[in-house]
Amino acid sequence: AAASYQLVVRATALCGNGVREATEICDDGNATDADTCTNLCTPPLSSEIEPNDLFTSGTALTPPERLMSGTIEAVGAFDFYTLTLGGRSNEVYLETYDNSGRLSCATPLDTSLQLLATDGTTVVAMDDNLGIGNCSLLDPQNVAALRSLTPGTYHVRVGATAAAAAYRLLMRTAQCGNSIREGRELCDDG
């Protein structure tokens, strides 16, 4: 009689192999810290540039990955970032969390997140609490509007329900036609 069995395969991420796996935010194929991806496979942390409370003065987010540190100074205030997409078809992933790391959104942090069109007012996608805890997540897996974005300059608006709310903003993009397999792409031959 044939015996039945179950095979469980678990892959671990290998930072520095050029393939973004598991919990890696980026992987540029090396273990050098002084470039666009650290030896821990996270983008280097950058800070927002004040003033950035209007979409016309947003801090630039540079594709393909960016990790920003920001603070909402007052209740009802927002931080803006600008994101310029090129290429044929683009995806955008945005997530907020607290300063402890990607799996943390400790109270009282409660963020809101919007991707705005080039006019700075038309909402392409928005979220209040789909991320960890009360943090925000805009993921092309769940939000169709974040897939196949046309080239142009978009605006990201981050808000919080409390003053002096420190947060991190993670931005990742995938661009079809750049010879790099990213996001949900199955292939990318340039």
Side-chain angles (χ1 to χ4, degrees), residues 9-119:
V9 177
R10 295 197 175 137
T12 58
L14 178 61
C15 185
N17 66 355
V19 179
R20 193 170 67 208
E21 305 163 303
T23 59
E24 294 176 339
I25 297 173
C26 57
D27 193 325
D28 61 359
N30 65 57
T32 304
D33 270 344
D35 58 7
T36 61
C37 187
T38 69
N39 65 346
L40 300 174
C41 284
T42 61
L45 183 64
S46 300
S47 295
E48 65 172 322
I49 299 170
E50 293 287 356
N52 67 337
D53 52 349
L54 300 171
F55 83 89
T56 54
S57 61
T59 302
L61 296 173
T62 309
E65 297 97 10
R66 196 65 153 174
L67 181 59
M68 302 299 295
S69 174
T71 301
I72 302 298
E73 301 295 336
V75 174
F78 298 99
D79 284 343
F80 282 89
Y81 298 87
T82 60
L83 171 60
T84 300
L85 301 174
R88 298 187 302 234
S89 177
N90 297 276
E91 269 186 10
V92 173
Y93 174 99
L94 298 160
E95 180 181 12
T96 58
Y97 46 92
D98 69 23
N99 289 334
S100 297
R102 192 158 176 227
L103 299 177
S104 179
C105 186
T107 304
L109 187 60
D110 184 356
T111 64
S112 63
L113 191 55
Q114 293 183 337
L115 179 65
L116 305 173
T118 57
D119 64 6

